[in-house]
Amino acid sequence: MVFLHPIVDFNVSIMRYLAFVLLLASFTVKAQVPAKEIPADYGYIVKIGQQVPDFTLTTTDGKHVRITDLKGKVVMLQFTASWCGVCRKEMPHIEKEIWQKHRNNPNFALYGIDLDEPKAVVEKFARQIPVTYPLAPDPKGDIFYRFAAKGAGVTRNVILDKTGKIVFMTRLFKEEEFAEMKAVIEKLL
């Protein structure tokens, strides 16, 4: 039987305790996003906590992006259209307060998905606002209608965590909800 000096034995005990605390913390430090009740009149057919529906989009610069390939990143999907006045009001805020802040973060992705408009219209729209984050045409609303009911309006955002789960959704441009969304993105990053 080996006896250690009391100080050495005490230090070993402290080291074991700290290792245990760090291990426990690694399991519980997952970013906590406040639970949010999504009103029925928002027109979503997806739910908070649900895995994002699979789809592929093509940005105006021709880049193909499969949503499942973005696992490991916090993703913001912004649903928009050039004819939408509220979208035009919200997009400069997304550009300045979210895109410009996080565009160089390798753990973040943002895609604007334009409902049922041709590429030329989407490109012109991006220049008019102006926004520099990637926009993708959504012919016939194939992507949009995986998230929202037929007839539901645009001006909505969906935030995905790094596992691809839906963690936050907005509708229209409400300053308080927009601020909450920014805080959720910060927590997840």
Side-chain angles (χ1 to χ4, degrees):
M1 183 172 206
V2 176
F3 291 98
L4 298 175
H5 189 276
I7 292 174
V8 172
D9 194 36
F10 178 74
N11 286 339
V12 169
S13 295
I14 287 179
M15 298 272 275
R16 285 183 182 151
Y17 175 75
L18 289 175
F20 173 75
V21 168
L22 288 173
L23 180 64
L24 183 62
S26 71
F27 289 111
T28 59
V29 168
K30 188 177 178 184
Q32 296 297 313
V33 175
K36 178 180 173 164
E37 185 78 23
I38 304 300
D41 67 349
Y42 274 28
Y44 279 105
I45 59 172
V46 293
K47 306 241 182 277
I48 299 289
Q50 177 182 332
Q51 199 67 28
V52 66
D54 192 21
F55 63 86
T56 299
L57 56 82
T58 303
T59 60
T60 54
D61 65 357
K63 183 179 176 188
H64 300 285
V65 179
R66 186 169 180 198
I67 194 68
T68 54
D69 291 342
L70 296 176
K71 280 192 179 175
K73 296 179 185 275
V74 174
V75 178
M76 177 177 176
L77 302 173
Q78 183 241 347
F79 292 96
T80 190
S82 67
W83 44 263
C84 170
V86 178
C87 299
R88 287 176 175 272
K89 181 179 176 185
E90 179 186 56
M91 290 172 77
H93 293 278
I94 293 171
E95 174 73 20
K96 181 180 177 189
E97 299 171 41
I98 297 172
W99 180 243
Q100 291 302 322
K101 184 173 183 178
H102 300 296
R103 70 183 294 164
N104 295 319
N105 186 332
N107 297 315
F108 180 72
L110 165 59
Y111 293 97
I113 301 171
D114 188 286
L115 179 61
D116 201 20
E117 295 185 302
K119 179 182 170 191
V121 170
V122 177
E123 290 171 329
K124 181 179 177 185
F125 177 39
R127 287 189 305 272
Q128 287 174 340
I129 297 298
V131 294
T132 60
Y133 56 86
L135 293 180
D138 183 17
K140 301 178 187 164
D142 290 337
I143 298 170
F144 181 77
Y145 293 118
R146 292 171 191 234
F147 292 86
K150 293 283 183 187
V154 290
T155 315
R156 56 183 71 233
N157 302 292
V158 176
I159 307 300
L160 310 176
D161 70 10
K162 292 179 180 180
T163 69
K165 285 190 180 163
I166 298 168
V167 295
F168 198 83
M169 297 185 291
T170 69
R171 176 75 178 105
L172 299 172
F173 178 59
K174 302 170 191 139
E175 288 183 26
E176 184 177 311
E177 189 174 58
F178 191 84
E180 192 178 351
M181 178 178 68
K182 290 190 312 181
V184 165
I185 292 169
E186 291 289 332
K187 274 187 176 180
L188 292 171
L189 289 172

Short mmCIF file of all heavy atoms in Angstrom, two decimals, residues 63 65 69-76 98-111 160-162 185 188-189:
data_model
loop_
_atom_site.label_atom_id
_atom_site.label_comp_id
_atom_site.label_asym_id
_atom_site.label_seq_id
_atom_site.Cartn_x
_atom_site.Cartn_y
_atom_site.Cartn_z
N LYS A 63 -24.44 29.03 -56.64
CA LYS A 63 -23.98 28.08 -55.62
C LYS A 63 -25.16 27.21 -55.15
O LYS A 63 -26.21 27.72 -54.79
CB LYS A 63 -23.37 28.84 -54.44
CG LYS A 63 -22.82 27.95 -53.36
CD LYS A 63 -22.22 28.78 -52.22
CE LYS A 63 -21.76 27.86 -51.11
NZ LYS A 63 -21.34 28.62 -49.93
N VAL A 65 -26.72 24.80 -52.37
CA VAL A 65 -26.58 24.60 -50.93
C VAL A 65 -27.66 23.63 -50.47
O VAL A 65 -28.85 23.91 -50.62
CB VAL A 65 -26.73 25.94 -50.16
CG1 VAL A 65 -26.60 25.71 -48.66
CG2 VAL A 65 -25.71 26.96 -50.65
N ASP A 69 -26.19 19.94 -45.34
CA ASP A 69 -24.73 20.13 -45.36
C ASP A 69 -24.29 21.27 -44.45
O ASP A 69 -23.09 21.47 -44.26
CB ASP A 69 -24.25 20.40 -46.79
CG ASP A 69 -24.37 19.18 -47.69
OD1 ASP A 69 -24.50 18.05 -47.16
OD2 ASP A 69 -24.35 19.36 -48.93
N LEU A 70 -25.25 22.00 -43.90
CA LEU A 70 -24.92 23.14 -43.03
C LEU A 70 -24.90 22.75 -41.55
O LEU A 70 -24.72 23.61 -40.69
CB LEU A 70 -25.91 24.28 -43.26
CG LEU A 70 -25.86 24.89 -44.67
CD1 LEU A 70 -26.95 25.95 -44.82
CD2 LEU A 70 -24.49 25.48 -44.97
N LYS A 71 -25.08 21.45 -41.26
CA LYS A 71 -24.99 21.03 -39.85
C LYS A 71 -23.63 21.43 -39.31
O LYS A 71 -22.62 21.39 -40.02
CB LYS A 71 -25.21 19.52 -39.72
CG LYS A 71 -26.67 19.16 -39.77
CD LYS A 71 -26.91 17.74 -39.37
CE LYS A 71 -28.41 17.48 -39.43
NZ LYS A 71 -28.73 16.10 -39.16
N GLY A 72 -23.62 21.86 -38.07
CA GLY A 72 -22.41 22.38 -37.46
C GLY A 72 -22.37 23.89 -37.49
O GLY A 72 -21.51 24.52 -36.89
N LYS A 73 -23.34 24.50 -38.20
CA LYS A 73 -23.45 25.96 -38.27
C LYS A 73 -24.80 26.39 -37.70
O LYS A 73 -25.77 25.65 -37.78
CB LYS A 73 -23.38 26.44 -39.72
CG LYS A 73 -22.07 26.18 -40.42
CD LYS A 73 -22.16 26.69 -41.86
CE LYS A 73 -20.92 26.35 -42.63
NZ LYS A 73 -19.84 27.31 -42.46
N VAL A 74 -24.83 27.60 -37.17
CA VAL A 74 -26.09 28.25 -36.85
C VAL A 74 -26.57 28.84 -38.17
O VAL A 74 -25.81 29.52 -38.86
CB VAL A 74 -25.90 29.35 -35.79
CG1 VAL A 74 -27.20 30.12 -35.57
CG2 VAL A 74 -25.37 28.76 -34.49
N VAL A 75 -27.82 28.56 -38.54
CA VAL A 75 -28.32 28.98 -39.85
C VAL A 75 -29.55 29.86 -39.67
O VAL A 75 -30.45 29.54 -38.90
CB VAL A 75 -28.68 27.75 -40.73
CG1 VAL A 75 -29.25 28.19 -42.08
CG2 VAL A 75 -27.47 26.84 -40.91
N MET A 76 -29.56 30.96 -40.43
CA MET A 76 -30.74 31.82 -40.50
C MET A 76 -31.30 31.73 -41.91
O MET A 76 -30.58 31.97 -42.88
CB MET A 76 -30.37 33.27 -40.19
CG MET A 76 -31.53 34.23 -40.31
SD MET A 76 -31.04 35.90 -39.83
CE MET A 76 -32.57 36.77 -40.19
N ILE A 98 -27.07 41.63 -38.46
CA ILE A 98 -26.78 40.20 -38.38
C ILE A 98 -25.69 39.80 -39.39
O ILE A 98 -24.65 39.28 -39.00
CB ILE A 98 -28.07 39.37 -38.60
CG1 ILE A 98 -29.09 39.68 -37.48
CG2 ILE A 98 -27.76 37.87 -38.65
CD1 ILE A 98 -30.45 39.08 -37.66
N TRP A 99 -25.93 40.06 -40.67
CA TRP A 99 -24.98 39.62 -41.69
C TRP A 99 -23.61 40.27 -41.54
O TRP A 99 -22.58 39.59 -41.51
CB TRP A 99 -25.55 39.85 -43.08
CG TRP A 99 -24.63 39.41 -44.18
CD1 TRP A 99 -24.06 40.20 -45.13
CD2 TRP A 99 -24.16 38.09 -44.44
NE1 TRP A 99 -23.27 39.45 -45.97
CE2 TRP A 99 -23.31 38.15 -45.56
CE3 TRP A 99 -24.36 36.86 -43.82
CZ2 TRP A 99 -22.68 37.02 -46.08
CZ3 TRP A 99 -23.72 35.74 -44.34
CH2 TRP A 99 -22.90 35.83 -45.44
N GLN A 100 -23.57 41.58 -41.43
CA GLN A 100 -22.27 42.25 -41.33
C GLN A 100 -21.53 41.85 -40.05
O GLN A 100 -20.30 41.80 -40.04
CB GLN A 100 -22.41 43.77 -41.42
CG GLN A 100 -22.83 44.25 -42.79
CD GLN A 100 -21.87 43.83 -43.89
OE1 GLN A 100 -20.66 43.80 -43.72
NE2 GLN A 100 -22.43 43.47 -45.04
N LYS A 101 -22.26 41.54 -39.02
CA LYS A 101 -21.65 41.14 -37.75
C LYS A 101 -21.09 39.71 -37.79
O LYS A 101 -20.04 39.44 -37.20
CB LYS A 101 -22.68 41.26 -36.62
CG LYS A 101 -22.12 40.97 -35.26
CD LYS A 101 -23.12 41.26 -34.18
CE LYS A 101 -22.48 41.01 -32.83
NZ LYS A 101 -23.36 41.33 -31.73
N HIS A 102 -21.79 38.80 -38.47
CA HIS A 102 -21.43 37.38 -38.41
C HIS A 102 -20.95 36.79 -39.73
O HIS A 102 -20.63 35.60 -39.79
CB HIS A 102 -22.64 36.57 -37.92
CG HIS A 102 -23.12 36.97 -36.57
ND1 HIS A 102 -22.37 36.84 -35.43
CD2 HIS A 102 -24.30 37.53 -36.18
CE1 HIS A 102 -23.06 37.28 -34.40
NE2 HIS A 102 -24.23 37.72 -34.83
N ARG A 103 -20.87 37.57 -40.78
CA ARG A 103 -20.56 37.02 -42.10
C ARG A 103 -19.24 36.28 -42.16
O ARG A 103 -19.08 35.36 -42.95
CB ARG A 103 -20.63 38.11 -43.16
CG ARG A 103 -19.49 39.12 -43.07
CD ARG A 103 -19.57 40.23 -44.07
NE ARG A 103 -19.41 39.70 -45.40
CZ ARG A 103 -19.71 40.32 -46.50
NH1 ARG A 103 -20.20 41.54 -46.44
NH2 ARG A 103 -19.53 39.78 -47.66
N ASN A 104 -18.27 36.65 -41.35
CA ASN A 104 -16.96 35.99 -41.37
C ASN A 104 -16.84 34.88 -40.33
O ASN A 104 -15.77 34.30 -40.18
CB ASN A 104 -15.84 37.02 -41.19
CG ASN A 104 -15.78 37.97 -42.37
OD1 ASN A 104 -15.93 37.57 -43.52
ND2 ASN A 104 -15.60 39.25 -42.09
N ASN A 105 -17.92 34.61 -39.62
CA ASN A 105 -17.91 33.55 -38.63
C ASN A 105 -18.17 32.22 -39.35
O ASN A 105 -19.24 32.02 -39.94
CB ASN A 105 -18.99 33.80 -37.57
CG ASN A 105 -18.94 32.80 -36.43
OD1 ASN A 105 -18.51 31.66 -36.59
ND2 ASN A 105 -19.40 33.23 -35.27
N PRO A 106 -17.21 31.29 -39.32
CA PRO A 106 -17.40 30.02 -40.03
C PRO A 106 -18.52 29.15 -39.46
O PRO A 106 -18.93 28.19 -40.09
CB PRO A 106 -16.04 29.33 -39.88
CG PRO A 106 -15.42 29.95 -38.67
CD PRO A 106 -15.95 31.35 -38.60
N ASN A 107 -19.04 29.53 -38.29
CA ASN A 107 -20.12 28.76 -37.66
C ASN A 107 -21.50 29.36 -37.93
O ASN A 107 -22.47 28.99 -37.28
CB ASN A 107 -19.89 28.69 -36.14
CG ASN A 107 -18.63 27.95 -35.81
OD1 ASN A 107 -18.35 26.89 -36.37
ND2 ASN A 107 -17.83 28.51 -34.92
N PHE A 108 -21.57 30.29 -38.89
CA PHE A 108 -22.84 30.96 -39.19
C PHE A 108 -23.10 30.97 -40.69
O PHE A 108 -22.19 31.13 -41.49
CB PHE A 108 -22.79 32.41 -38.68
CG PHE A 108 -24.06 33.18 -38.94
CD1 PHE A 108 -25.22 32.92 -38.22
CD2 PHE A 108 -24.11 34.16 -39.92
CE1 PHE A 108 -26.39 33.62 -38.48
CE2 PHE A 108 -25.28 34.87 -40.18
CZ PHE A 108 -26.42 34.59 -39.45
N ALA A 109 -24.37 30.80 -41.04
CA ALA A 109 -24.79 30.90 -42.45
C ALA A 109 -26.14 31.61 -42.49
O ALA A 109 -26.98 31.42 -41.61
CB ALA A 109 -24.91 29.52 -43.09
N LEU A 110 -26.32 32.44 -43.51
CA LEU A 110 -27.57 33.17 -43.71
C LEU A 110 -27.94 33.09 -45.18
O LEU A 110 -27.09 33.36 -46.05
CB LEU A 110 -27.40 34.63 -43.29
CG LEU A 110 -28.46 35.66 -43.73
CD1 LEU A 110 -29.85 35.30 -43.23
CD2 LEU A 110 -28.07 37.05 -43.27
N TYR A 111 -29.18 32.70 -45.45
CA TYR A 111 -29.68 32.66 -46.83
C TYR A 111 -31.05 33.30 -46.88
O TYR A 111 -31.94 32.95 -46.11
CB TYR A 111 -29.77 31.21 -47.34
CG TYR A 111 -28.41 30.60 -47.50
CD1 TYR A 111 -27.87 29.79 -46.50
CD2 TYR A 111 -27.64 30.85 -48.63
CE1 TYR A 111 -26.60 29.25 -46.63
CE2 TYR A 111 -26.37 30.31 -48.77
CZ TYR A 111 -25.86 29.52 -47.76
OH TYR A 111 -24.60 29.01 -47.89
N LEU A 160 -31.89 27.96 -37.14
CA LEU A 160 -31.54 26.56 -36.88
C LEU A 160 -30.31 26.50 -35.99
O LEU A 160 -29.37 27.29 -36.18
CB LEU A 160 -31.21 25.84 -38.19
CG LEU A 160 -32.21 25.97 -39.34
CD1 LEU A 160 -31.67 25.29 -40.59
CD2 LEU A 160 -33.56 25.41 -38.94
N ASP A 161 -30.30 25.57 -35.06
CA ASP A 161 -29.11 25.39 -34.25
C ASP A 161 -28.09 24.55 -35.03
O ASP A 161 -28.35 24.16 -36.18
CB ASP A 161 -29.43 24.81 -32.87
CG ASP A 161 -29.89 23.35 -32.88
OD1 ASP A 161 -29.80 22.66 -33.92
OD2 ASP A 161 -30.34 22.89 -31.81
N LYS A 162 -26.98 24.25 -34.42
CA LYS A 162 -25.90 23.55 -35.12
C LYS A 162 -26.25 22.10 -35.45
O LYS A 162 -25.56 21.46 -36.25
CB LYS A 162 -24.61 23.62 -34.31
CG LYS A 162 -24.04 25.03 -34.26
CD LYS A 162 -22.77 25.11 -33.44
CE LYS A 162 -22.24 26.53 -33.43
NZ LYS A 162 -21.00 26.65 -32.66
N ILE A 185 -29.36 34.06 -31.86
CA ILE A 185 -28.21 33.78 -32.72
C ILE A 185 -26.92 33.92 -31.92
O ILE A 185 -26.04 33.05 -32.00
CB ILE A 185 -28.21 34.71 -33.95
CG1 ILE A 185 -29.39 34.36 -34.87
CG2 ILE A 185 -26.88 34.62 -34.72
CD1 ILE A 185 -29.65 35.37 -35.98
N LEU A 188 -26.42 30.95 -29.60
CA LEU A 188 -26.09 29.72 -30.31
C LEU A 188 -24.66 29.72 -30.85
O LEU A 188 -24.04 28.67 -30.98
CB LEU A 188 -27.07 29.49 -31.46
CG LEU A 188 -28.50 29.18 -31.05
CD1 LEU A 188 -29.42 29.20 -32.27
CD2 LEU A 188 -28.58 27.83 -30.33
N LEU A 189 -24.16 30.91 -31.19
CA LEU A 189 -22.78 31.01 -31.69
C LEU A 189 -21.80 30.94 -30.55
O LEU A 189 -20.68 30.58 -30.70
CB LEU A 189 -22.60 32.31 -32.49
CG LEU A 189 -23.30 32.32 -33.85
CD1 LEU A 189 -23.21 33.71 -34.46
CD2 LEU A 189 -22.67 31.31 -34.79
#
